[in-house]
Amino acid sequence: MLSPLHKQLLNDYQHDFPLSARPYQDIADALGVTEADVLSAFTELNDNNFISRIGPIIPPNHIGVSALVAMSVPEQQLQAVADKISAYPEVNHNYEREHRLNLWFVVIASDAGHLRAVIDSIEQETSYPAMLLPMLDDFFIDLGFKLDLNND
């Protein structure tokens, strides 16, 4: 069950997160709670998998380079391979798709050489080849959603 504070944090800070030296204090001031309350609530949301991270969304290739990558992994190995891929700090997410290429992920690196090295390492560690999927058009899907704060 989400508390009113949890709901406010999820609802009000999907966009326009404060960019300051003390963003959690800024949020606390706006909501009339303490910074410790905000930090505790975000920790609880993370621990319960309501959020996975707090951070910016930077358009592809504006800082460093990025690539969408797909792999074909046998179903019985999918979770183990996904876990290995997720352990790379350059991988910001991966997901299963219903397709022959059933594991997709995004790699972000400082330059093309580093990107290639990460993908090569993933291929070596998992024993599965990776297919780089070049970006032909830039699309942005806003994954924010409005919570019903009155519904318990």
Side-chain angles (χ1 to χ4, degrees), residues 9-126:
L9 293 173
L10 288 171
N11 198 52
D12 297 350
Y13 295 96
Q14 294 177 48
H15 303 91
D16 301 321
F17 198 86
L19 298 176
S20 70
R22 305 262 328 255
Y24 302 104
Q25 184 63 57
D26 294 343
I27 292 170
D29 293 344
L31 299 178
V33 298
T34 68
E35 183 180 35
D37 292 335
V38 170
L39 291 168
S40 176
F42 273 130
T43 298
E44 291 166 2
L45 290 168
N46 185 61
D47 290 348
N48 290 297
N49 297 314
F50 283 96
I51 60 173
S52 59
R53 70 178 190 91
I54 296 173
I57 297 174
I58 299 169
N61 302 316
H62 279 68
I63 298 177
V65 296
S66 62
L68 178 63
V69 182
M71 298 175 90
S72 180
V73 179
E75 184 67 33
Q76 66 272 19
Q77 293 294 315
L78 193 62
Q79 187 62 55
V81 170
D83 290 345
K84 287 179 183 180
I85 290 169
S86 291
Y88 283 81
E90 297 88 353
V91 174
N92 67 0
H93 68 281
N94 68 53
Y95 52 94
E96 180 181 5
R97 294 195 63 177
E98 292 182 13
H99 187 271
R100 180 183 63 78
L101 296 168
N102 59 343
L103 183 60
W104 293 47
F105 54 97
V106 174
V107 179
I108 300 171
S110 57
D111 57 52
H114 184 182
L115 183 82
R116 184 72 248 172
V118 170
I119 294 167
D120 289 346
S121 179
I122 288 171
E123 287 180 320
Q124 185 174 19
E125 184 176 354
T126 64

